[in-house]
Amino acid sequence: MIVPEHWLREFVAPRLGAQALAELLTMSGLEVETCEPVGALPGGIVVGRIVSVDKHPNADKLTVCKVDSGRQTLQVVCGAPNARPGMLAPLALVGTRLKDLEIKPASLRGVQSEGMLCSARELGLSEDHSGLLELPANARVGAGAGKALRLDEHIFTFKLTPNRADCLSVLGIAREVSALTGVRLRAPEIKPVKSGIKDKHPVRITDAEGCGRFTGRVIRNVDAAAPAPAWMRERLERAGQRSISALVDVTNYVMLELGRPLHVYDQDKLSGPIDVRWGRKGERVLLLNGQTVEVDSSVLCIADDSGPIGLAGIMGGETTKAETTTQNLFLESAFFFPEAIAGRARRFNFASDASHRFERGVDFANNVDGIERATRLILEICGGEPGPTVDLVKRLPKRKPVTMRVARAAKVIGIEVTRKEIESVFRRLGLSYRKAKDRFTVSPPSFRFDIAIEEDLIEEVARVHGFERIPAVPPRAPARMRARPEARRSLHELRERVAACDYQETINFAFVEPAWEADFAGEADPVRLLNPIASQSSVMRTTLIGSLLANLRFNHARKVERIRVFEVGRVYLRDAAAADGPLAVAGLRQPMRVGGAAFGPAFDEQWGAPARAVDFYDVKSDLEAVCAPRALRLEAAPHPALHPGRSARVLIESEGGFQPAGWLGELHPRWQQKYELPRSVVLFELDAEILAATPLPRPAQPSRFPPVVRDIAVLVDATLPAQVLLDVAQAEKPAIVQLIRLFDLYQGTNLPAGKKSLAFRVVMQDTERTLTDGEADQARDALVALWGRRCGAILRA
Amino acid sequence: MGSEELEAIVARAAADFAAAPDPAALENAKAKVLGKTGELAAFRSSLGSLPAEERKAAGQSYNSAVQRIENSLEQRRKQLALAKLESRLAEEALDVTLPGRGRARGGLHPISRTWRRIEEIFGSIGFDVADGPEIETDWYNFTALNNPENHPARSMQDTFYVDLKDAQGLPLLLRTHTSPMQVRYARAWVDRHRRTAAMPPIKVIAPGRTYRVDSDATHSPMFHQVEGLWIDEDISFADLKSVYVDFLRRFFESDELRVRFRPSYFPFTEPSAEIDLQFASGPLQGRWLELSGAGQVHPQVVRNFGLNPEKYIGFAFGSGLERLTMLRYGIDDLRLFFDGDLRFLRQFA
């Protein structure tokens, strides 16, 4: 809503500057987004009166004018075609600076010129350069031209909240200013225009749940081609409305002034009576904006015998619109219920000033005022003979009295507002009320659609009283201790742990390219956005991998050679079996994941160690550090994103065994090529919820006796996973074996074909006594025999 | 052999020891004087042949000479050991200015930093933390928050919809704010305390990702909010003012900043406020910066929690984490948060 200051001050004139007024309104809930001066002219531009216009002796297109500057008569050479004696125009005196031009006495083709007569463009007011900007005939010669052009005002741009439909007009804002300042409101005085003819147009309201009131009037023999007066055009333009034609301008003017949308029909184009009714399936309307829409029984229509001719409260139709050739017109001033209008325009993908107002609520008591105001303006501009105003009232909104308890207001706001002050707030807002000892009962006026419950009144009291005057009181609450469960890690701790392994956190959009889902998750049917911002971000990710690879590509393109990133975020998985729950939506699972990617050298290039590329086992070690103290097991398994020989399911130690928690592996070379990554990438993605559990320590008493260490190297099949040997040993090892650690892997040509050598360090210890060498050797031999029996292992000499 | 001779041997031994450049030479010099065939051996064997009255004095002279020789030997041994240690230490000296070796450390995203900080600040006065679904139902995102279908307030937020429907046939959506968590958390809380005589207060913040169809220099289609909710029998708008101002002063670590509450409108609060912040110093000094929406929870929403609004009242707020982070660290481009540029992100390590 854009409101020019002069228009507003016509209705309420507080002694406050524009900025102070803007501040006051903002702080009471009508946010003024901008408060800008209309324009300011440079000093030295005055109202000049052209005394005479003579041909320039040496130039066809120039004239020599004598101009009264209020102090003296100056000779000015001028090129404008519209210069004529008696005309008032802006005169830039010598010394004035206009943009890059400084006005100096000059000789133009041999004639002395002492100033410049200006067009609107030369003053920077518009693009109009067709001639001199004519000033109103009543302007004072010699006075500043800015005042004559009414540039001495500000334009308020409001960002109104949807509840304050009553402020979608100059009058509405003025009412608010009056309430806030206590300065009397001078509402425009509207006198009925007497009808000179008897013509009426028949109107029927078939569906009164949509339309409660329809006020109409016929005006015959208008000159619709007459131009709207300059003052009206100027006000409309300053209020952000382009001037179109006299009839449209008048309806816009009344809408902006009173908040009362109107519509003008060419009466001669109407076929039979107007009917307000719900649309019928299959019916179509060609609208004023050129759009044809199909209506149904949820769309309220204005119809005549030909069918629907407009969308009620939204937009009129093309076939019955008033044009500059219209002679006889029919004015509509209706009340449509917000519920009958709301959401419809949006469904057809547009908005109009009328729908914006009707869906929020239009005053249902000013229909006649709107017609009378518009009639008077039309008669002034276009002439014509008005018929009688016909006011058809079917059903008006009920305004139930709303009670506010003084004690409840104090409880909600947190301080007592006195009854006297409450009364003053209601009175200033124009809310009629009855008061009892401990409560007020308010009857909301017809222009307020936001007062239905007690809190609505409490808000009005708090707002007008001033939020700033409500003290900030620290609440009193019982001092109860709180602590996080020790056996659960928060997402922040998880992030810290991953960051400690040299990964930088990123945050990526949850919607991604469909190709990423197909490539990295084998997901052909991810959850799709119905209205994505772009096709590259049109599906909800089921894996973090695509986003992490995008991070790699972004940074690699910026010459970062070593990139390690991670993200903690949700993925979105269709699951027909998932039901609604306190934290769940049926049809979906939305688990939190932690994913990471490592690319480039294992370590930052450094002087003390040879450079080597990061590999699977580096990242495995990172995951072990992140998950500690819980142990990890990896088992080879395929994943769409990963190299088939370097892809593993990650299992994490849980009560009663190992639980699948996610994936670790190297990016499939196919994707590495497709996504133009010059080196391999190691990726992981784990379920963050599974990682959150962390068992409390259950320490055992350390042995007082020394450990004994034996190393064992065995030859096994090259394809046998090391984990098999460890598992066999874990299950059946001699009791004194405390720890078995694989410390060497050897695969060389001097070994039998298809074999590898694995070396284990075995730590033995007893809690009761010192072990003898004999006992240790015996345990070692038992292990070797066990591995021989179960894994085909041969002790390596 | 007389005592003069003995003195000469002591002096010569001392000189030999001092001249020995290393432990081996020193041991040779020692053998030369103290060894079985050394210079002192003859003197000692001659003691027995002396008359008894001289033997005592000669014995004392001999013992003293041996003692003095051993002293100087020991002194030289220590000298040599020290010299050896010193030369080894000198050889072992490092260039301490060479860079450290091994793995570096990554870092958290600035939004995560803010997120954790907010949890700490609200945790300090007993707020719980909750998170929930990002793909939401129409009911939780709008209707439960007193924003029914076709309500003009719905156009305040442009919503992403997905190709799934809820039980009512309405499309699921990406939550446009963290406010649905108010309803989810409160309903679960009420359910949990159904049999408790006096329900403990609901005190929770819910930080998380949110989505709106808006993408330009100052809007990201995905962003973060933190929701706050405190419901009890007497939590008022004045309490909201205090808690939120306190939060901002702790978050920005400044008691100087100014905060204003400006009347506004949200379907789910009444009275509603926009909260603006003004710094007393720095590049943004004196400008009012929009930060949050807040207000007293609307009675219809309290009813949707499963509570009687006559008995339970309280406040809710929602703030943008990006905005807080930008103001905190002086970041002026929103897009930096989401393009994964390590050159930017690493500065928050």
Side-chain angles (χ1 to χ4, degrees), chain B residues 33 36 48 53 66 74 76 114 118 121 164 203 226 240 266-267 280 289 296 303 322:
Chain B
V33 59
K36 279 189 183 128
E53 64 273 16
V66 169
E74 193 50 37
R76 182 60 184 158
T114 297
I118 291 173
I121 295 171
L164 279 162
K203 238 172 138 178
V226 56
L240 163 67
F266 307 102
L289 307 158
Q296 289 295 102
R303 250 173 245 126
E322 280 76 8

Side-chain angles (χ1 to χ4, degrees), chain A residues 361-601:
Chain A
V362 169
D363 188 354
F364 52 84
N366 71 358
N367 298 49
V368 173
D369 281 355
I371 288 264
E372 299 297 347
R373 179 81 171 122
T375 306
R376 190 167 298 277
L377 289 167
I378 290 171
L379 295 188
E380 274 171 20
I381 301 163
C382 310
E385 305 149 329
T389 298
V390 179
D391 188 18
L392 180 61
V393 181
K394 274 273 185 158
R395 179 173 85 96
L396 294 180
K398 296 269 184 298
R399 283 289 187 252
K400 283 191 214 128
V402 181
T403 296
M404 187 191 86
R405 293 160 292 171
V406 176
R408 175 76 180 177
K411 187 173 165 175
V412 171
I413 299 170
I415 52 154
E416 302 273 350
V417 181
T418 62
R419 293 179 72 231
K420 201 170 152 214
E421 185 159 8
I422 293 171
E423 256 189 283
S424 149
V425 168
F426 290 162
R427 198 172 48 241
R428 281 150 65 191
L429 286 171
L431 306 177
S432 61
Y433 59 90
R434 281 181 292 116
K435 57 180 169 172
K437 198 158 145 258
D438 58 346
R439 63 193 59 206
F440 288 82
T441 300
V442 168
S443 301
S446 58
F447 52 83
R448 293 294 297 259
F449 283 73
D450 60 333
I451 298 176
I453 61 170
E454 188 173 25
E455 271 68 17
D456 296 329
L457 292 175
I458 295 174
E459 176 168 65
E460 291 300 292
V461 170
R463 181 174 77 80
V464 179
H465 173 78
F467 282 5
E468 289 305 280
R469 289 168 61 200
I470 299 171
V473 184
R476 300 174 69 91
R480 290 196 189 88
M481 294 194 186
R482 295 172 66 259
R484 293 187 56 82
E486 195 182 347
R488 259 189 85 79
R489 266 184 206 143
S490 71
L491 287 180
H492 298 302
E493 288 169 90
L494 176 61
R495 287 188 180 101
E496 278 294 351
R497 282 188 164 236
V498 182
C501 293
D502 199 6
Y503 294 83
Q504 170 62 50
E505 188 185 15
T506 60
I507 296 180
N508 298 298
F509 288 167
F511 23 70
V512 298
E513 283 194 36
W516 295 0
E517 278 301 309
D519 293 349
F520 307 130
E523 178 61 71
D525 185 28
V527 174
R528 255 162 237 287
L529 288 178
L530 299 180
N531 53 339
I533 38 169
S535 60
Q536 311 93 277
S537 39
S538 60
V539 302
M540 300 304 288
R541 59 185 177 177
T542 69
T543 171
L544 307 180
I545 290 176
S547 313
L548 292 166
L549 290 175
N551 293 150
L552 295 191
R553 294 210 311 281
F554 180 97
N555 285 292
H556 187 259
R558 282 155 188 79
K559 306 284 176 230
V560 186
E561 291 305 323
R562 181 171 179 272
I563 307 168
R564 297 163 68 91
V565 289
F566 81 100
E567 182 176 9
V568 176
R570 290 186 189 280
V571 297
Y572 313 86
L573 310 167
R574 287 186 198 274
D575 181 355
D580 279 317
L583 291 175
V585 175
L588 274 171
R589 281 182 296 118
Q590 308 181 46
M592 191 68 83
R593 296 258 179 92
V594 53
F599 170 90

Side-chain angles (χ1 to χ4, degrees), chain A residues 405 456 496 530 572 622, chain B residues 103 116 134 161 270 310:
Chain A
R405 293 160 292 171
D456 296 329
E496 278 294 351
L530 299 180
Y572 313 86
D622 294 336
Chain B
R103 192 159 63 185
R116 187 175 52 185
E134 288 166 22
Y161 291 94
E270 189 164 25
E310 270 301 301

Side-chain angles (χ1 to χ4, degrees), chain A residues 44-51 66-76 87-93 114 117 135 139-145:
Chain A
I45 299 175
V46 299
V47 178
R49 190 170 62 87
I50 300 178
V51 180
K66 292 276 191 294
V67 184
D68 178 1
S69 75
R71 295 181 138 196
Q72 58 193 123
T73 302
L74 301 170
Q75 174 169 291
V76 177
M87 177 186 191
L88 301 189
L91 171 67
L93 298 173
E114 304 162 287
L117 289 162
L135 298 176
R140 194 165 58 82
V141 175

Side-chain angles (χ1 to χ4, degrees), chain A residues 23 26-29 31 159 161-163 342-344 346 359-360 405 408 411-414 453-456 458-459 462-463 467-468 470-475 477 480 482 492 495-496 499-511 526-533 540-541 551 554-555 558 560 562-570 572 574 581-588 590 592 603-604 606-608 622, chain B residues 98-109 111-112 115-116 119 123 126-129 131-137 150-156 159-164 171-172 174 181 184 188 201 203 209 211 213-215 220-222 224 230 233-239 241-243 259-265 270-273 290 296 298-299 309-311 313 337-343 345-346 349:
Chain A
E23 170 77 12
T26 293
M27 290 311 294
S28 66
E31 185 183 351
K159 189 173 161 191
T161 54
N163 58 326
R344 273 51 161 205
R346 193 141 43 97
E359 64 183 23
R360 287 163 173 74
R405 293 160 292 171
R408 175 76 180 177
K411 187 173 165 175
V412 171
I413 299 170
I453 61 170
E454 188 173 25
E455 271 68 17
D456 296 329
I458 295 174
E459 176 168 65
R463 181 174 77 80
F467 282 5
E468 289 305 280
I470 299 171
V473 184
R480 290 196 189 88
R482 295 172 66 259
H492 298 302
R495 287 188 180 101
E496 278 294 351
C501 293
D502 199 6
Y503 294 83
Q504 170 62 50
E505 188 185 15
T506 60
I507 296 180
N508 298 298
F509 288 167
F511 23 70
V527 174
R528 255 162 237 287
L529 288 178
L530 299 180
N531 53 339
I533 38 169
M540 300 304 288
R541 59 185 177 177
N551 293 150
F554 180 97
N555 285 292
R558 282 155 188 79
V560 186
R562 181 171 179 272
I563 307 168
R564 297 163 68 91
V565 289
F566 81 100
E567 182 176 9
V568 176
R570 290 186 189 280
Y572 313 86
R574 287 186 198 274
L583 291 175
V585 175
L588 274 171
Q590 308 181 46
M592 191 68 83
F603 300 100
D604 274 321
Q606 46 189 279
W607 56 272
D622 294 336
Chain B
L98 283 174
R101 270 197 312 244
R103 192 159 63 185
R105 223 195 107 79
L108 300 192
H109 193 280
I111 296 290
S112 295
W115 183 328
R116 187 175 52 185
E119 287 187 10
F127 275 77
D128 198 2
V129 181
D131 188 22
E134 288 166 22
I135 298 184
E136 260 295 2
T137 63
N150 283 334
H151 193 284
R154 281 211 182 183
S155 61
M156 291 163 88
T159 312
F160 282 112
Y161 291 94
V162 302
D163 64 348
L164 279 162
L172 297 183
L174 303 192
M181 275 311 293
R184 287 187 176 275
K203 238 172 138 178
R209 299 187 187 209
Y211 305 85
V213 187
D214 217 343
S215 185
S220 168
M222 185 190 86
H224 294 76
W230 187 346
E233 296 185 6
D234 55 357
I235 297 298
S236 70
F237 192 85
D239 295 325
K241 285 189 72 171
S242 159
V243 168
V259 183
R260 74 176 187 191
F261 285 66
R262 182 158 54 74
S264 188
Y265 169 80
E270 189 164 25
S272 300
E290 262 183 47
Q296 289 295 102
H298 194 281
E310 270 301 301
K311 182 166 179 198
I313 64 168
F337 289 133
F338 303 117
D339 61 14
D341 191 335
L342 292 177
R343 298 167 303 176
L345 295 173
R346 275 188 185 148

Side-chain angles (χ1 to χ4, degrees), chain B residues 78-117:
Chain B
K78 281 184 182 159
Q79 270 177 3
L80 285 176
L82 190 64
K84 188 179 171 197
L85 181 65
E86 271 169 4
S87 87
R88 195 186 107 207
L89 293 179
E91 278 164 25
E92 285 175 357
L94 298 181
D95 176 357
V96 296
T97 65
L98 283 174
R101 270 197 312 244
R103 192 159 63 185
R105 223 195 107 79
L108 300 192
H109 193 280
I111 296 290
S112 295
R113 263 181 101 110
T114 297
W115 183 328
R116 187 175 52 185
R117 219 171 128 62

